[in-house]
């Protein structure tokens, strides 16, 4: 078996050098005790000719295809690790010395099995990598990397987080709340005065935090399930505004985000249903920026990213109007996503020298007072099935999609992105995919956590 010096590779990455693996090294996919299992060059999503890359760029530059960057395809296999080619970006700079996460590879993790409902059988982690469109996954236990495997990307590639990004703004808001700068019991319009006189006078900040505003315009829970593709749906209209720019204004409405949000209506009382909606995240992020007077990207960098000894800068994509797209736009390397997850575990003190997320904030995330809202919406039904051993005991808080009875926290992103954090067992599982979000990486992550606890 051919070997390589991981420390030299890591140093090259950290220095920003152009790192090229020899074909002999990348073809070696045997499990190593001192480093990751690497992708083959031929399988990398970035292994495209310049003509192919130009064709992908031309595809997404067609107005009718702009919205398609949200969905898995041959084009998004490339785009999701190269989002800076398709959107303006704003950097999230790293700082301080890079935090070491030593390797202690547990080869048995490849054999951990979970029930995959699409396959209608139990499959192992190794089988998942062989048969599902997962790009990479890392597991950190007690501050050590016990599993790290790349299928279609390299350790230095920055992958789109999609909606895993949502917990960046909610964590910053929780910090401002703890400092007494935000009262989550006040209405959204108290902080966003543009929305005064609308239904947002009746929506508490906490209800938007918990994806339970009770308003229409949701992503998955509308009478017709086409919110992301129908130009007449509220969500699409919002995505077509210049503050978002994720969809084309095919109707030529020229609406602002205020126009769209003030047209929304109440369906149910707040905190009755967990109804997933990125508009809630957009509102939360606007509140954070309004109260602090700083862009979300800057706040996230100074309060969280810069403190964790990241290997690389991250970046948010932004709208054509320059708005940070905090509901879906973070891009980073896999290990740095894992470091972000470690901010919610005891291991944070190893990499940051201090707690980043306070016990008070964790207690709010683990507060189960609204657990009854969980099971009837689209996302709750899905995750009760995918976390079947804890069904009926799961809640959602502060933009986290699932908080289990053990206090484990899970956040998903379109296409199968995810982070699963178990503070009680000091474990983080982070992964990227280019799938349809139905391949149950979250079920696999939970099985891994339980197998190695």
């Amino acid at each position: 078996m051919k070997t390589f010096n991981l420390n030299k590779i890591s140093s090259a990455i950290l220095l920003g050098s152009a790192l090229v693996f020899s074909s002999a090294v990348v073809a070696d996919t045997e499990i190593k005790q001192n480093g990751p299992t690497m992708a083959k060059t031929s399988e990398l999503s970035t292994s495209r000719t310049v003509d192919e890359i130009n064709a992908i760029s031309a595809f997404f530059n067609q107005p009718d295809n702009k919205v398609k960057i949200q969905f898995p395809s041959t084009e998004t296999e490339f785009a999701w690790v190269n989002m800076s080619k398709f959107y303006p970006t704003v950097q999230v700079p790293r700082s301080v010395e890079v935090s070491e996460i030593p390797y202690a590879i547990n080869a048995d993790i490849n054999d951990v099995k979970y029930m995959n409902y699409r396959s209608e059988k139990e499959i192992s982690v190794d089988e998942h990598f062989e048969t599902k469109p997962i790009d990479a996954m890392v597991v950190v236990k007690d501050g050590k990397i016990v599993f790290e495997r790349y299928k279609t990307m390299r350790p230095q590639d920055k992958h789109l987080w999609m909606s895993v990004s949502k917990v960046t703004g909610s964590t910053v808001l929780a910090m401002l709340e703890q400092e007494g700068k935000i009262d989550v019991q006040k209405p959204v319009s108290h902080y966003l005065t543009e929305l005064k006189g609308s239904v947002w006078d009746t929506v508490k900040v906490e209800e938007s935090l918990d994806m339970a505003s009770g308003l229409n315009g949701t992503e998955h829970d509308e009478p017709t399930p086409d919110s992301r593709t129908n130009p007449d749906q509220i969500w699409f209209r919002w995505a077509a505004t210049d503050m978002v720019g994720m969809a084309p204004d095919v109707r030529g409405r020229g609406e602002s985000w205020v126009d769209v949000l003030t047209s929304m209506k109440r369906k149910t009382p707040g905190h009755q249903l967990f109804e997933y909606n990125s508009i809630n995240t957009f509102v939360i992020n606007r509140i954070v920026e309004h109260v602090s007077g700083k862009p979300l990207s800057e706040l996230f960098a100074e309060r969280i990213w810069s403190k964790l000894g990241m290997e690389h800068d991250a970046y948010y994509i932004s709208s054509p109007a320059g708005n940070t797209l905090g509901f879906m736009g973070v891009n980073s390397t896999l290990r740095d996503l894992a470091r972000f997850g470690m901010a919610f575990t005891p291991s944070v003190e190893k990499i940051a020298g201090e707690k980043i997320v306070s016990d008070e904030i964790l207690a709010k995330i683990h507060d189960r007072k609204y657990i009854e809202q969980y099971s009837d919406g689209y996302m709750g039904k899905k995750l009760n099935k995918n976390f079947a051993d804890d069904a009926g005991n799961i809640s959602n808080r502060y933009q986290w999609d699932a908080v289990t009875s053990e206090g484990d926290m899970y956040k998903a992103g379109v296409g199968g992105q995810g982070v699963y954090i178990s503070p009680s067992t000091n474990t983080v599982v982070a992964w990227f995919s280019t799938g349809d979000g139905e391949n149950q990486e979250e079920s696999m992550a939970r099985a891994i956590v339980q197998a190695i606890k």
Side-chain angles (χ1 to χ4, degrees):
M1 182 181 78
K2 296 183 183 297
T3 60
F4 56 90
N5 188 319
L6 182 70
N7 292 329
K8 288 183 179 179
I9 288 176
S10 297
S11 297
I13 294 171
L14 299 180
L15 290 171
S17 301
L19 182 63
V20 179
F21 295 98
S22 73
S23 59
V25 170
V26 296
D28 177 7
T29 57
E30 294 184 51
I31 298 165
K32 302 175 179 65
Q33 294 303 312
N34 66 335
T37 301
M38 307 299 294
K40 297 178 181 179
T41 299
S42 60
E43 295 174 353
L44 293 173
S45 58
T46 50
S47 294
R48 309 292 181 104
T49 67
V50 67
D51 288 342
E52 290 172 326
I53 293 170
N54 289 339
I56 293 169
S57 298
F59 176 85
F60 285 120
N61 278 324
Q62 296 175 30
D64 289 346
N65 291 336
K66 188 176 182 68
V67 72
K68 294 180 182 178
I69 208 164
Q70 303 175 78
F71 307 112
S73 66
T74 300
E75 291 80 15
T76 51
E77 285 177 2
F78 176 82
W80 288 357
V81 288
N82 290 277
M83 288 299 287
S84 59
K85 287 183 66 66
F86 306 99
Y87 280 86
T89 64
V90 57
Q91 296 303 298
V92 181
R94 60 164 303 279
S95 186
V96 306
E97 184 177 350
V98 173
S99 58
E100 179 185 1
I101 308 179
Y103 284 96
I105 297 297
N106 179 352
D108 292 340
I109 289 175
N110 278 280
D111 299 321
V112 172
K113 291 186 176 182
Y114 72 98
M115 174 55 70
N116 186 285
Y117 296 107
R118 178 176 283 181
S119 300
E120 297 184 337
K121 63 178 183 178
E122 285 193 334
I123 68 173
S124 69
V125 172
D126 187 63
E127 290 173 302
H128 191 102
F129 266 83
E130 291 298 324
T131 62
K132 308 295 182 186
I134 188 169
D135 298 321
M137 186 174 75
V138 64
V139 182
V140 181
K141 168 74 172 171
D142 297 327
K144 298 178 180 179
I145 296 176
V146 295
F147 180 96
E148 186 178 10
R149 184 168 173 177
Y150 296 88
K151 181 178 180 180
T152 66
M153 59 182 287
R154 301 164 297 184
Q156 70 267 34
D157 287 334
K158 294 179 182 178
H159 197 293
L160 179 62
W161 289 18
M162 285 292 190
S163 285
V164 178
S165 309
K166 287 179 167 64
V167 292
T168 63
S170 64
T171 304
V172 173
L173 188 143
M175 292 173 172
L176 295 172
E177 178 190 8
Q178 186 176 1
E179 294 164 6
K181 296 174 182 175
I182 293 177
D183 180 352
V184 299
Q185 298 307 312
K186 290 188 180 296
V188 166
S189 60
H190 174 80
Y191 297 102
L192 302 182
T193 56
E194 308 97 315
L195 300 179
K196 281 188 177 294
S198 74
V199 71
W200 292 94
D201 291 336
T202 70
V203 178
K204 294 179 181 178
V205 173
E206 186 184 36
E207 291 166 353
S208 281
L209 270 171
D210 292 348
M211 295 285 188
S213 65
L215 305 188
N216 64 347
T218 63
E219 291 184 39
H220 305 293
D221 296 281
E222 296 305 290
T224 54
D226 58 357
S227 294
R228 292 192 180 124
T229 56
N230 182 347
D232 297 318
Q233 288 268 30
I234 286 172
W235 194 93
F236 192 105
R237 287 167 51 199
W238 162 77
T241 66
D242 65 352
M243 281 287 278
V244 182
M246 287 294 298
D249 183 12
V250 295
R251 299 287 191 256
R253 293 186 174 99
E255 293 178 302
S256 70
W257 71 272
V258 175
D259 294 332
V260 177
L261 268 62
T262 54
S263 74
M264 294 173 72
K265 306 294 183 185
R266 179 162 296 286
K267 296 193 323 183
T268 66
H271 271 134
Q272 296 295 303
L273 289 171
F274 170 30
E275 294 183 314
Y276 198 88
N277 195 349
S278 295
I279 293 175
N280 283 313
T281 317
F282 177 86
V283 162
I284 291 305
N285 294 342
R286 299 288 72 67
I287 292 172
V288 163
E289 293 185 332
H290 174 79
V291 169
S292 67
K294 295 182 178 180
L296 174 62
S297 56
E298 185 175 332
L299 288 164
F300 179 55
E302 68 181 36
R303 287 177 174 262
I304 300 174
W305 198 262
S306 66
K307 296 184 176 183
L308 292 170
M310 299 300 191
E311 293 179 34
H312 304 273
D313 294 349
Y315 67 84
Y316 285 93
I317 60 174
S318 63
S319 72
N323 172 52
T324 301
L325 298 184
F327 65 92
M328 56 77 69
V330 178
N331 295 256
S332 82
T333 60
L334 179 65
R335 285 194 292 258
D336 283 347
L337 171 56
R339 284 181 173 87
F340 170 73
M342 291 170 73
F344 300 86
T345 73
S347 289
V348 67
E349 298 199 35
K350 290 185 178 180
I351 61 172
E354 62 175 320
K355 279 193 174 183
I356 302 298
V357 179
S358 69
D359 290 341
E360 180 181 345
I361 291 173
L362 284 172
K364 285 184 176 293
I365 295 170
H366 294 147
D367 185 344
R368 301 167 67 74
K369 62 184 174 181
Y370 299 119
I371 192 170
E372 297 299 324
Q373 75 177 26
Y374 194 77
S375 297
D376 292 331
Y378 171 89
M379 187 67 76
K381 289 177 182 176
K382 174 182 176 179
L383 293 179
N384 267 325
K385 182 178 182 180
N386 291 353
F387 299 142
D389 64 307
D390 205 35
N393 299 309
I394 303 171
S395 62
N396 69 290
R397 285 284 277 166
Y398 278 59
Q399 303 282 294
W400 292 91
D401 294 335
V403 183
T404 71
S405 59
E406 308 95 339
D408 293 359
M409 302 147 59
Y410 165 62
K411 186 71 195 83
V414 162
Q417 326 316 323
V419 62
Y420 188 102
I421 302 167
S422 178
S424 64
T425 66
N426 201 13
T427 310
V428 174
V429 187
W431 63 92
F432 296 128
S433 300
T434 310
D436 59 8
E438 300 297 330
N439 289 306
Q440 292 182 242
E441 283 82 14
E442 64 272 19
S443 303
M444 180 169 66
R446 181 168 173 80
I448 291 169
V449 168
Q450 294 183 337
I452 66 175
K453 66 182 180 182

